[in-house]
PDB file of all heavy atoms in Angstrom:
ATOM      1  N   THR A   1       0.839  -1.181  -0.005  1.00  0.00           N
ATOM      2  CA  THR A   1       0.003  -0.005   0.009  1.00  0.00           C
ATOM      3  C   THR A   1       0.891   1.254   0.006  1.00  0.00           C
ATOM      4  O   THR A   1       1.861   1.299   0.732  1.00  0.00           O
ATOM      5  CB  THR A   1      -0.878   0.033   1.276  1.00  0.00           C
ATOM      6  OG1 THR A   1      -1.602  -1.195   1.353  1.00  0.00           O
ATOM      7  CG2 THR A   1      -1.823   1.200   1.244  1.00  0.00           C
ATOM      8  N   SER A   2       0.526   2.209  -0.817  1.00  0.00           N
ATOM      9  CA  SER A   2       1.187   3.490  -0.806  1.00  0.00           C
ATOM     10  C   SER A   2       0.130   4.572  -0.829  1.00  0.00           C
ATOM     11  O   SER A   2      -0.816   4.535  -1.642  1.00  0.00           O
ATOM     12  CB  SER A   2       2.138   3.653  -2.010  1.00  0.00           C
ATOM     13  OG  SER A   2       2.816   4.880  -1.956  1.00  0.00           O
ATOM     14  N   CYS A   3       0.253   5.553   0.077  1.00  0.00           N
ATOM     15  CA  CYS A   3      -0.767   6.582   0.214  1.00  0.00           C
ATOM     16  C   CYS A   3      -0.309   7.993  -0.191  1.00  0.00           C
ATOM     17  O   CYS A   3      -1.131   8.880  -0.283  1.00  0.00           O
ATOM     18  CB  CYS A   3      -1.263   6.626   1.654  1.00  0.00           C
ATOM     19  SG  CYS A   3      -1.993   5.064   2.198  1.00  0.00           S
ATOM     20  N   GLN A   4       0.993   8.182  -0.431  1.00  0.00           N
ATOM     21  CA  GLN A   4       1.481   9.483  -0.814  1.00  0.00           C
ATOM     22  C   GLN A   4       2.739   9.291  -1.660  1.00  0.00           C
ATOM     23  O   GLN A   4       3.419   8.278  -1.554  1.00  0.00           O
ATOM     24  CB  GLN A   4       1.903  10.302   0.422  1.00  0.00           C
ATOM     25  CG  GLN A   4       0.793  10.672   1.347  1.00  0.00           C
ATOM     26  CD  GLN A   4       1.359  11.293   2.619  1.00  0.00           C
ATOM     27  OE1 GLN A   4       2.223  10.731   3.261  1.00  0.00           O
ATOM     28  NE2 GLN A   4       0.899  12.491   2.932  1.00  0.00           N
ATOM     29  N   GLY A   5       3.051  10.308  -2.451  1.00  0.00           N
ATOM     30  CA  GLY A   5       4.319  10.330  -3.156  1.00  0.00           C
ATOM     31  C   GLY A   5       4.382   9.524  -4.437  1.00  0.00           C
ATOM     32  O   GLY A   5       5.366   9.594  -5.165  1.00  0.00           O
ATOM     33  N   ARG A   6       3.367   8.743  -4.717  1.00  0.00           N
ATOM     34  CA  ARG A   6       3.305   7.971  -5.974  1.00  0.00           C
ATOM     35  C   ARG A   6       1.986   8.276  -6.664  1.00  0.00           C
ATOM     36  O   ARG A   6       0.991   8.517  -6.016  1.00  0.00           O
ATOM     37  CB  ARG A   6       3.386   6.461  -5.699  1.00  0.00           C
ATOM     38  CG  ARG A   6       4.745   6.033  -5.199  1.00  0.00           C
ATOM     39  CD  ARG A   6       4.804   4.491  -5.096  1.00  0.00           C
ATOM     40  NE  ARG A   6       6.152   4.060  -4.824  1.00  0.00           N
ATOM     41  CZ  ARG A   6       6.657   3.912  -3.617  1.00  0.00           C
ATOM     42  NH1 ARG A   6       5.915   4.133  -2.537  1.00  0.00           N
ATOM     43  NH2 ARG A   6       7.902   3.513  -3.444  1.00  0.00           N
ATOM     44  N   ARG A   7       1.995   8.239  -7.957  1.00  0.00           N
ATOM     45  CA  ARG A   7       0.777   8.502  -8.733  1.00  0.00           C
ATOM     46  C   ARG A   7      -0.224   7.383  -8.486  1.00  0.00           C
ATOM     47  O   ARG A   7       0.052   6.214  -8.711  1.00  0.00           O
ATOM     48  CB  ARG A   7       1.104   8.607 -10.204  1.00  0.00           C
ATOM     49  CG  ARG A   7      -0.141   8.870 -11.046  1.00  0.00           C
ATOM     50  CD  ARG A   7       0.259   9.274 -12.405  1.00  0.00           C
ATOM     51  NE  ARG A   7       0.678  10.664 -12.284  1.00  0.00           N
ATOM     52  CZ  ARG A   7       0.586  11.544 -13.253  1.00  0.00           C
ATOM     53  NH1 ARG A   7       0.139  11.187 -14.412  1.00  0.00           N
ATOM     54  NH2 ARG A   7       0.975  12.779 -13.068  1.00  0.00           N
ATOM     55  N   GLY A   8      -1.417   7.781  -8.020  1.00  0.00           N
ATOM     56  CA  GLY A   8      -2.441   6.793  -7.704  1.00  0.00           C
ATOM     57  C   GLY A   8      -3.809   7.238  -8.191  1.00  0.00           C
ATOM     58  O   GLY A   8      -3.990   8.350  -8.730  1.00  0.00           O
ATOM     59  N   PHE A   9      -4.792   6.398  -7.956  1.00  0.00           N
ATOM     60  CA  PHE A   9      -6.171   6.659  -8.352  1.00  0.00           C
ATOM     61  C   PHE A   9      -6.975   7.226  -7.193  1.00  0.00           C
ATOM     62  O   PHE A   9      -7.983   7.865  -7.379  1.00  0.00           O
ATOM     63  CB  PHE A   9      -6.843   5.366  -8.837  1.00  0.00           C
ATOM     64  CG  PHE A   9      -6.281   4.850 -10.104  1.00  0.00           C
ATOM     65  CD1 PHE A   9      -5.286   3.890 -10.094  1.00  0.00           C
ATOM     66  CD2 PHE A   9      -6.755   5.298 -11.319  1.00  0.00           C
ATOM     67  CE1 PHE A   9      -4.773   3.385 -11.302  1.00  0.00           C
ATOM     68  CE2 PHE A   9      -6.220   4.819 -12.522  1.00  0.00           C
ATOM     69  CZ  PHE A   9      -5.235   3.868 -12.497  1.00  0.00           C
ATOM     70  N   GLY A  10      -6.545   6.910  -5.941  1.00  0.00           N
ATOM     71  CA  GLY A  10      -7.326   7.336  -4.771  1.00  0.00           C
ATOM     72  C   GLY A  10      -6.392   7.712  -3.629  1.00  0.00           C
ATOM     73  O   GLY A  10      -5.204   7.991  -3.827  1.00  0.00           O
ATOM     74  N   SER A  11      -6.933   7.666  -2.418  1.00  0.00           N
ATOM     75  CA  SER A  11      -6.169   8.105  -1.253  1.00  0.00           C
ATOM     76  C   SER A  11      -5.035   7.143  -0.919  1.00  0.00           C
ATOM     77  O   SER A  11      -3.973   7.557  -0.499  1.00  0.00           O
ATOM     78  CB  SER A  11      -7.077   8.299  -0.044  1.00  0.00           C
ATOM     79  OG  SER A  11      -7.735   7.066   0.291  1.00  0.00           O
ATOM     80  N   CYS A  12      -5.259   5.851  -1.072  1.00  0.00           N
ATOM     81  CA  CYS A  12      -4.226   4.832  -0.950  1.00  0.00           C
ATOM     82  C   CYS A  12      -4.445   3.815  -2.043  1.00  0.00           C
ATOM     83  O   CYS A  12      -5.601   3.453  -2.309  1.00  0.00           O
ATOM     84  CB  CYS A  12      -4.327   4.129   0.408  1.00  0.00           C
ATOM     85  SG  CYS A  12      -3.848   5.124   1.814  1.00  0.00           S
ATOM     86  N   ASP A  13      -3.396   3.393  -2.685  1.00  0.00           N
ATOM     87  CA  ASP A  13      -3.479   2.405  -3.768  1.00  0.00           C
ATOM     88  C   ASP A  13      -2.542   1.251  -3.524  1.00  0.00           C
ATOM     89  O   ASP A  13      -1.590   1.367  -2.719  1.00  0.00           O
ATOM     90  CB  ASP A  13      -3.085   3.038  -5.107  1.00  0.00           C
ATOM     91  CG  ASP A  13      -4.215   3.861  -5.734  1.00  0.00           C
ATOM     92  OD1 ASP A  13      -5.312   3.934  -5.149  1.00  0.00           O
ATOM     93  OD2 ASP A  13      -4.004   4.414  -6.803  1.00  0.00           O
ATOM     94  N   LEU A  14      -2.724   0.169  -4.249  1.00  0.00           N
ATOM     95  CA  LEU A  14      -1.814  -0.978  -4.189  1.00  0.00           C
ATOM     96  C   LEU A  14      -0.835  -0.890  -5.353  1.00  0.00           C
ATOM     97  O   LEU A  14      -1.230  -0.614  -6.507  1.00  0.00           O
ATOM     98  CB  LEU A  14      -2.610  -2.291  -4.228  1.00  0.00           C
ATOM     99  CG  LEU A  14      -3.591  -2.467  -3.068  1.00  0.00           C
ATOM    100  CD1 LEU A  14      -4.299  -3.806  -3.196  1.00  0.00           C
ATOM    101  CD2 LEU A  14      -2.890  -2.353  -1.723  1.00  0.00           C
ATOM    102  N   PHE A  15       0.419  -1.181  -5.051  1.00  0.00           N
ATOM    103  CA  PHE A  15       1.517  -1.135  -6.014  1.00  0.00           C
ATOM    104  C   PHE A  15       2.216  -2.484  -5.978  1.00  0.00           C
ATOM    105  O   PHE A  15       2.219  -3.177  -4.950  1.00  0.00           O
ATOM    106  CB  PHE A  15       2.503  -0.050  -5.663  1.00  0.00           C
ATOM    107  CG  PHE A  15       1.981   1.349  -5.933  1.00  0.00           C
ATOM    108  CD1 PHE A  15       1.070   1.934  -5.094  1.00  0.00           C
ATOM    109  CD2 PHE A  15       2.394   2.048  -7.040  1.00  0.00           C
ATOM    110  CE1 PHE A  15       0.580   3.207  -5.312  1.00  0.00           C
ATOM    111  CE2 PHE A  15       1.908   3.302  -7.286  1.00  0.00           C
ATOM    112  CZ  PHE A  15       1.013   3.908  -6.442  1.00  0.00           C
ATOM    113  N   GLU A  16       2.847  -2.824  -7.091  1.00  0.00           N
ATOM    114  CA  GLU A  16       3.621  -4.061  -7.131  1.00  0.00           C
ATOM    115  C   GLU A  16       5.072  -3.795  -7.566  1.00  0.00           C
ATOM    116  O   GLU A  16       5.328  -2.849  -8.310  1.00  0.00           O
ATOM    117  CB  GLU A  16       2.992  -5.092  -8.043  1.00  0.00           C
ATOM    118  CG  GLU A  16       2.992  -4.758  -9.500  1.00  0.00           C
ATOM    119  CD  GLU A  16       2.378  -5.862 -10.320  1.00  0.00           C
ATOM    120  OE1 GLU A  16       2.989  -6.955 -10.441  1.00  0.00           O
ATOM    121  OE2 GLU A  16       1.301  -5.637 -10.894  1.00  0.00           O
ATOM    122  N   SER A  17       5.956  -4.622  -7.040  1.00  0.00           N
ATOM    123  CA  SER A  17       7.367  -4.576  -7.416  1.00  0.00           C
ATOM    124  C   SER A  17       7.823  -6.018  -7.548  1.00  0.00           C
ATOM    125  O   SER A  17       7.426  -6.859  -6.766  1.00  0.00           O
ATOM    126  CB  SER A  17       8.174  -3.836  -6.331  1.00  0.00           C
ATOM    127  OG  SER A  17       9.540  -3.816  -6.658  1.00  0.00           O
ATOM    128  N   ARG A  18       8.670  -6.261  -8.527  1.00  0.00           N
ATOM    129  CA  ARG A  18       9.182  -7.611  -8.763  1.00  0.00           C
ATOM    130  C   ARG A  18      10.693  -7.658  -8.476  1.00  0.00           C
ATOM    131  O   ARG A  18      11.409  -6.700  -8.772  1.00  0.00           O
ATOM    132  CB  ARG A  18       8.898  -8.082 -10.177  1.00  0.00           C
ATOM    133  CG  ARG A  18       7.409  -8.183 -10.427  1.00  0.00           C
ATOM    134  CD  ARG A  18       7.072  -8.771 -11.775  1.00  0.00           C
ATOM    135  NE  ARG A  18       5.633  -8.862 -11.917  1.00  0.00           N
ATOM    136  CZ  ARG A  18       4.880  -9.886 -11.551  1.00  0.00           C
ATOM    137  NH1 ARG A  18       5.435 -10.919 -10.967  1.00  0.00           N
ATOM    138  NH2 ARG A  18       3.608  -9.885 -11.748  1.00  0.00           N
ATOM    139  N   LYS A  19      11.134  -8.751  -7.943  1.00  0.00           N
ATOM    140  CA  LYS A  19      12.542  -8.926  -7.631  1.00  0.00           C
ATOM    141  C   LYS A  19      13.231  -9.520  -8.874  1.00  0.00           C
ATOM    142  O   LYS A  19      12.872 -10.604  -9.315  1.00  0.00           O
ATOM    143  CB  LYS A  19      12.760  -9.804  -6.438  1.00  0.00           C
ATOM    144  CG  LYS A  19      14.159  -9.725  -5.897  1.00  0.00           C
ATOM    145  CD  LYS A  19      14.253 -10.390  -4.552  1.00  0.00           C
ATOM    146  CE  LYS A  19      15.621 -10.148  -3.940  1.00  0.00           C
ATOM    147  NZ  LYS A  19      15.756 -10.865  -2.652  1.00  0.00           N
ATOM    148  N   VAL A  20      14.182  -8.801  -9.407  1.00  0.00           N
ATOM    149  CA  VAL A  20      14.948  -9.246 -10.562  1.00  0.00           C
ATOM    150  C   VAL A  20      16.400  -9.359 -10.086  1.00  0.00           C
ATOM    151  O   VAL A  20      17.024  -8.339  -9.760  1.00  0.00           O
ATOM    152  CB  VAL A  20      14.836  -8.243 -11.739  1.00  0.00           C
ATOM    153  CG1 VAL A  20      15.665  -8.692 -12.923  1.00  0.00           C
ATOM    154  CG2 VAL A  20      13.363  -8.066 -12.136  1.00  0.00           C
ATOM    155  N   GLY A  21      16.924 -10.559 -10.057  1.00  0.00           N
ATOM    156  CA  GLY A  21      18.223 -10.757  -9.449  1.00  0.00           C
ATOM    157  C   GLY A  21      18.105 -10.485  -7.970  1.00  0.00           C
ATOM    158  O   GLY A  21      17.293 -11.059  -7.271  1.00  0.00           O
ATOM    159  N   GLU A  22      18.879  -9.529  -7.497  1.00  0.00           N
ATOM    160  CA  GLU A  22      18.841  -9.161  -6.097  1.00  0.00           C
ATOM    161  C   GLU A  22      18.185  -7.770  -5.891  1.00  0.00           C
ATOM    162  O   GLU A  22      18.221  -7.221  -4.790  1.00  0.00           O
ATOM    163  CB  GLU A  22      20.234  -9.140  -5.496  1.00  0.00           C
ATOM    164  CG  GLU A  22      20.864 -10.540  -5.434  1.00  0.00           C
ATOM    165  CD  GLU A  22      20.005 -11.504  -4.587  1.00  0.00           C
ATOM    166  OE1 GLU A  22      19.588 -11.128  -3.473  1.00  0.00           O
ATOM    167  OE2 GLU A  22      19.777 -12.618  -5.071  1.00  0.00           O
ATOM    168  N   GLN A  23      17.629  -7.194  -6.963  1.00  0.00           N
ATOM    169  CA  GLN A  23      17.050  -5.846  -6.896  1.00  0.00           C
ATOM    170  C   GLN A  23      15.540  -5.881  -7.112  1.00  0.00           C
ATOM    171  O   GLN A  23      15.038  -6.661  -7.902  1.00  0.00           O
ATOM    172  CB  GLN A  23      17.685  -4.944  -7.969  1.00  0.00           C
ATOM    173  CG  GLN A  23      19.178  -4.796  -7.821  1.00  0.00           C
ATOM    174  CD  GLN A  23      19.536  -3.968  -6.613  1.00  0.00           C
ATOM    175  OE1 GLN A  23      18.877  -2.994  -6.294  1.00  0.00           O
ATOM    176  NE2 GLN A  23      20.556  -4.404  -5.892  1.00  0.00           N
ATOM    177  N   TRP A  24      14.847  -4.980  -6.427  1.00  0.00           N
ATOM    178  CA  TRP A  24      13.417  -4.783  -6.642  1.00  0.00           C
ATOM    179  C   TRP A  24      13.198  -3.733  -7.723  1.00  0.00           C
ATOM    180  O   TRP A  24      13.912  -2.728  -7.750  1.00  0.00           O
ATOM    181  CB  TRP A  24      12.736  -4.347  -5.348  1.00  0.00           C
ATOM    182  CG  TRP A  24      12.676  -5.441  -4.317  1.00  0.00           C
ATOM    183  CD1 TRP A  24      13.523  -5.607  -3.274  1.00  0.00           C
ATOM    184  CD2 TRP A  24      11.743  -6.511  -4.270  1.00  0.00           C
ATOM    185  NE1 TRP A  24      13.176  -6.749  -2.577  1.00  0.00           N
ATOM    186  CE2 TRP A  24      12.078  -7.302  -3.173  1.00  0.00           C
ATOM    187  CE3 TRP A  24      10.651  -6.882  -5.075  1.00  0.00           C
ATOM    188  CZ2 TRP A  24      11.375  -8.464  -2.798  1.00  0.00           C
ATOM    189  CZ3 TRP A  24       9.938  -8.017  -4.721  1.00  0.00           C
ATOM    190  CH2 TRP A  24      10.292  -8.788  -3.621  1.00  0.00           C
TER     191      TRP A  24
END
């Protein structure tokens, strides 16, 4: 969940990140 600082649709949105090698 991210509620500020990222472009979203509402007050809090769900974001995804994938691990590639050792980095997200």
Side-chain angles (χ1 to χ4, degrees):
T1 305
S2 183
C3 299
Q4 295 172 306
R6 291 187 171 89
R7 179 167 283 209
F9 293 94
S11 61
C12 291
D13 280 0
L14 299 181
F15 288 77
E16 67 178 292
S17 178
R18 296 187 180 272
K19 194 169 189 183
V20 178
E22 294 301 313
Q23 300 292 319
W24 290 98

